[in-house]
Amino acid sequence: MLSKELEKALNEQINAELWSAYLYLSMGMNFETAGLPGVANWFKVQFKEEQAHAEIFMNYINQRGGRVILAPIAEVPTEWATVLDAFRATLEHERKVTAMINNLYAMAEAEHDYASRDRINWFVAEQVEEEETAKSYIDKFQLIGNDGMGIYMLDQELGARTYNTPSPLASAGE
Ligand code: MG
């Protein structure tokens, strides 16, 4: 059984992942409007990934006999002037998510709940990737500045991103 404390924290994490999904969808819509379909695609794929993260936690709570409680999702920002701004906001947000994941890990460890610790550990590695990716796009967009050709090329690159089901869901046969 999950402890009540950990169950509550996992439910808060589900809400944070869904808030992330909503944030990236909002970014996607912002750049759809701005005429950058590749950037919009990248954020829409990110939206799906965050939904998958929430689903992994939901599946896990259910597997352990806990109860998933879906709380309201808070409002998200709706406007970013540049792609650089959006990736800076992404990095800042992902750092907060990393801190939440680390807290969950510490909690599971303190409770000697090693099954939870192992599930959370997948997210520890995932967060390294999330932060690294956001940082790499900050660097690229900083480098090109206002160069139209550069923005066009990066839009093409971001447009090539496709959604891959994260391994904890893929192995569950979904
Ligand atoms: Mg996430």
Side-chain angles (χ1 to χ4, degrees):
M1 265 302 263
L2 281 175
S3 74
K4 280 292 152 201
E5 204 189 2
L6 192 55
E7 183 187 271
K8 184 171 174 281
L10 288 168
N11 270 300
E12 283 164 8
Q13 191 65 39
I14 288 170
N15 193 264
E17 299 294 342
L18 291 174
W19 191 85
S20 303
Y22 208 39
L23 174 72
Y24 298 134
L25 183 61
S26 184
M27 288 180 178
M29 293 304 107
N30 180 82
F31 292 108
E32 196 89 65
T33 308
L36 289 168
V39 178
N41 170 71
W42 194 93
F43 281 110
K44 283 189 278 179
V45 171
Q46 194 66 13
F47 156 68
K48 286 186 199 162
E49 252 195 24
E50 299 303 339
Q51 275 188 304
H53 291 167
E55 215 179 321
I56 294 165
F57 282 116
M58 289 187 236
N59 288 349
Y60 181 71
I61 291 176
N62 286 328
Q63 253 184 321
R64 295 289 307 277
R67 175 87 167 88
V68 174
I69 303 288
L70 297 176
I73 302 165
E75 205 175 340
V76 291
T78 54
E79 275 179 54
W80 294 267
T82 65
V83 184
L84 183 58
D85 287 345
F87 276 111
R88 279 185 176 142
T90 298
L91 181 60
E92 198 189 321
H93 175 62
E94 289 302 330
R95 282 177 174 156
K96 282 182 201 155
V97 175
T98 300
M100 289 182 78
I101 296 288
N102 288 343
N103 279 337
L104 281 176
Y105 189 101
M107 217 173 177
E109 179 122 304
E111 290 183 11
H112 302 283
D113 182 343
Y114 300 115
S116 294
R117 192 193 62 179
D118 279 1
R119 173 40 79 225
I120 295 157
N121 197 38
W122 182 85
F123 286 92
V124 172
E126 175 68 14
Q127 283 310 116
V128 173
E129 245 181 71
E130 299 282 32
E131 289 189 28
E132 186 193 10
T133 307
K135 179 74 175 60
S136 81
Y137 283 116
I138 288 171
D139 291 344
K140 286 181 181 178
F141 279 94
Q142 233 163 8
L143 191 70
I144 60 165
N146 290 321
D147 175 56
M149 183 53 90
I151 292 170
Y152 177 77
M153 303 275 286
L154 278 181
D155 188 63
Q156 301 282 105
E157 183 184 320
L158 290 162
R161 185 183 185 191
T162 55
Y163 173 72
N164 294 307
T165 307
S167 58
L169 283 186
S171 58
E174 287 184 45

